[in-house]
Amino acid sequence: MDYPIQDFDEMKAVLREHFANTREMFWKMRTGSREKDWTLHETLAHLVAIAAAFNTSIEAALNGEPVAQIDGVSERSDLRQWNDSQIEMRSQKPPADLLDELEAELDKAKSTITNITTEQSEATTLLKVYNRPARVVDMVGWQLSHPGVIHEAQVTRPLNASPIWQRLSRDHIQRLLNYYTRQFSYAYWHQYGGKEPRVMNFIVEGDSGGEWHLIASPDGGDVQRGASSDADFHIIYKDPHTYFSVYTFHIRMQDALKNGDVRVRGNMDELFSLLSLYTPTPPKVAK
């Protein structure tokens, strides 16, 4: 099938360059200001763990298995404990070995998407950290959006460097927007949402931007390319950097709104209440 496999090579090259001269002291530094924030070493261990889990899920989908079996994950709320155990285990290895393992997992995903048919790419399975079954082609894309967006402002903080996505090609960034937006949609906790579907337009301006609409509904929802004429909310981002930054805490959403880098149409309180249900671990409302 036609898939931009060069994205994997570019992501590996950028990651390798970023980590090439990381001194030992930086690996021990935390990626945030809180005591519970992961160290840079632990974050890399997490990236490897998730990449391996995605490849396991891709294999399950291709084998016709409706649910991907990941040891330690039987429901969505298990993710935090699973993360902790994976990080504890994998961070016993030196960073250089973990980086090799991450590249190997990316190569595995690249090989998979290179050697399957379009029909196979549409096969689905449920990875229980998400709210609904996902396609092979989506999970392959998440192999790039997870290291390329979700944690890439995080892994650059100890080094005081710019986010990884700023070092990628324009076309890659545009595709990364789609990978990430689709992954974002699967993080919705429909158990705590309303009984009626709500539609949000995500509009990213700039040369590498794009438009999507997310549907939050009791069955988990959906995400589609293009803006919806029936959307309840519109959230408009100045550019891809702003879009990625506000959801990875590289830029505070409050500051982006104040500066006009993010604009909202619709009830803002309702919108951000809905957005708070898009999270990898149980939202605060669940506690």
Side-chain angles (χ1 to χ4, degrees), residues 62-78:
L62 292 174
N63 290 332
E65 299 170 16
V67 179
Q69 300 301 321
I70 307 295
D71 289 343
V73 179
S74 59
E75 56 186 32
R76 292 191 71 182
S77 58
D78 291 334

Side-chain angles (χ1 to χ4, degrees), residues 20-256:
N21 298 311
T22 304
R23 291 181 289 171
E24 183 176 355
M25 61 177 289
F26 290 111
W27 289 113
K28 298 176 182 179
M29 293 178 64
R30 299 202 176 277
T31 57
S33 59
R34 303 170 301 177
E35 183 63 28
K36 67 179 182 179
D37 288 326
W38 298 335
T39 65
L40 184 59
H41 192 173
E42 290 170 336
T43 303
L44 182 55
H46 169 73
L47 293 180
V48 175
I50 293 296
F54 280 153
N55 278 332
T56 296
S57 300
I58 290 167
E59 290 177 5
L62 292 174
N63 290 332
E65 299 170 16
V67 179
Q69 300 301 321
I70 307 295
D71 289 343
V73 179
S74 59
E75 56 186 32
R76 292 191 71 182
S77 58
D78 291 334
L79 178 60
R80 191 187 303 276
Q81 184 174 351
W82 179 84
N83 270 332
D84 291 343
S85 64
Q86 288 289 310
I87 289 171
E88 182 178 4
M89 175 185 68
R90 294 177 186 273
S91 61
Q92 302 305 311
K93 298 180 180 180
D97 289 355
L98 291 174
L99 187 56
D100 287 342
E101 289 185 21
L102 179 58
E103 289 187 349
E105 296 294 347
L106 293 176
D107 282 338
K108 186 175 182 180
K110 174 185 171 182
S111 177
T112 297
I113 204 66
T114 303
N115 293 297
I116 63 175
T117 65
T118 300
E119 182 179 3
Q120 288 174 311
S121 75
E122 295 290 323
T124 64
T125 193
L126 175 63
L127 175 56
K128 291 185 179 180
V129 301
Y130 292 121
N131 62 22
R132 61 193 191 274
R135 302 177 303 168
V136 167
V137 69
D138 290 325
M139 291 184 284
V140 169
W142 300 345
Q143 289 284 28
L144 296 166
S145 58
H146 186 255
V149 178
I150 294 174
H151 292 286
E152 282 315 289
Q154 185 180 6
V155 300
T156 55
R157 286 186 191 121
L159 306 179
N160 196 29
S162 61
I164 295 295
W165 61 71
Q166 291 189 321
R167 308 174 212 179
L168 300 172
S169 66
R170 190 176 75 172
D171 289 346
H172 190 165
I173 290 173
Q174 193 166 56
R175 290 188 289 270
L176 204 60
L177 281 169
N178 188 52
Y179 306 148
Y180 172 71
T181 304
R182 296 197 66 82
Q183 189 172 5
F184 187 93
S185 170
Y186 281 78
Y188 176 60
W189 286 79
H190 53 284
Q191 303 93 319
Y192 307 108
K195 296 181 179 180
E196 297 297 326
R198 308 300 297 276
V199 180
M200 297 178 288
N201 279 340
F202 276 27
I203 300 171
V204 183
E205 298 178 327
D207 291 341
S208 298
E211 298 182 352
W212 293 261
H213 64 275
L214 280 67
I215 304 170
S217 63
D219 65 355
D222 198 3
V223 57
Q224 298 290 337
R225 296 295 292 262
S228 169
S229 60
D230 298 324
D232 300 287
F233 310 101
H234 307 259
I235 183 163
I236 305 160
Y237 310 87
K238 175 184 176 182
D239 51 29
H241 174 66
T242 301
Y243 177 46
F244 293 152
S245 293
V246 296
Y247 292 112
T248 58
F249 307 106
H250 185 63
I251 296 173
R252 294 199 324 149
M253 177 66 85
Q254 298 95 316
D255 293 336

